[in-house]
Amino acid sequence: MDKARQLRLAKDAMDRDWADPDLDLTAIAAHAGYSRYHFIRAFRETYGETPGQYLTHRRIERAEDLLRTAGLSVTEICHVVGFSSLGTFSARFKTWTGLSPSEYRARHVGRGAALIPGCYAMHWLGGYRPGPGRAAAQRNSGEAD
């Protein structure tokens, strides 16, 4: 298999699984058949950014779309697009767009179609995935049974 096809398989895996907060660079590199560090170099050489930058780019683009169209809170959007920390999400969003998520929403809401209700957006996106702390809390309270 040629290099471009191998990298495309890995990029396709990131395009498919971008919302998974546990998406691991080693697993993505395995899609290309490369070691982690060789994959980072080859991906940057081919696409002009590292796999981590590409994944962040995809997540922020999706967050921009949700902030414009869905009636979800910033925290819900943070988790839906695959970030596990609101602070990291906000910092990366501001770095990428120049605006905080709340500023972005205030600037862009009302310029297009009406907001999609949050419950519908969450259903469409596959629901909310509980983080490790929430899963343990559910197990302890017996809700998971």
Side-chain angles (χ1 to χ4, degrees):
M1 192 178 331
D2 68 350
K3 178 181 171 182
R5 179 162 164 70
Q6 289 175 297
L7 292 173
R8 184 68 199 172
L9 289 174
K11 191 175 178 187
D12 288 348
M14 286 192 285
D15 288 341
R16 183 183 57 245
D17 300 330
W18 56 266
D20 183 358
D22 297 325
L23 191 59
D24 178 53
L25 184 59
T26 303
I28 297 168
H31 283 281
Y34 290 150
S35 73
R36 177 186 174 107
Y37 299 107
H38 183 68
F39 174 65
I40 292 170
R41 285 190 301 271
F43 194 92
R44 183 179 355 192
E45 183 180 297
T46 302
Y47 295 109
E49 58 188 348
T50 65
Q53 291 168 331
Y54 178 76
L55 188 57
T56 298
H57 179 187
R58 294 278 303 160
R59 288 174 170 168
I60 296 298
E61 283 179 343
R62 190 67 188 133
E64 287 176 312
D65 185 42
L66 290 172
L67 285 166
R68 284 189 309 264
T69 60
L72 298 171
S73 70
V74 172
T75 303
E76 289 171 324
I77 291 173
C78 162
H79 293 292
V80 164
V81 299
F83 286 92
S84 55
S85 162
L86 182 59
T88 301
F89 168 68
S90 295
R92 296 224 172 117
F93 191 92
K94 188 165 188 167
T95 299
W96 197 264
T97 64
L99 299 170
S100 72
S102 297
E103 292 169 335
Y104 184 88
R105 172 174 272 166
R107 187 173 286 185
H108 291 90
V109 166
R111 292 186 170 187
L115 291 179
I116 298 168
C119 59
Y120 181 77
M122 291 296 277
H123 177 73
W124 180 67
L125 294 167
Y128 179 75
R129 292 184 199 99
R134 293 188 69 192
Q138 286 179 342
R139 278 194 303 273
N140 290 339
S141 68
E143 294 175 7
D145 295 331

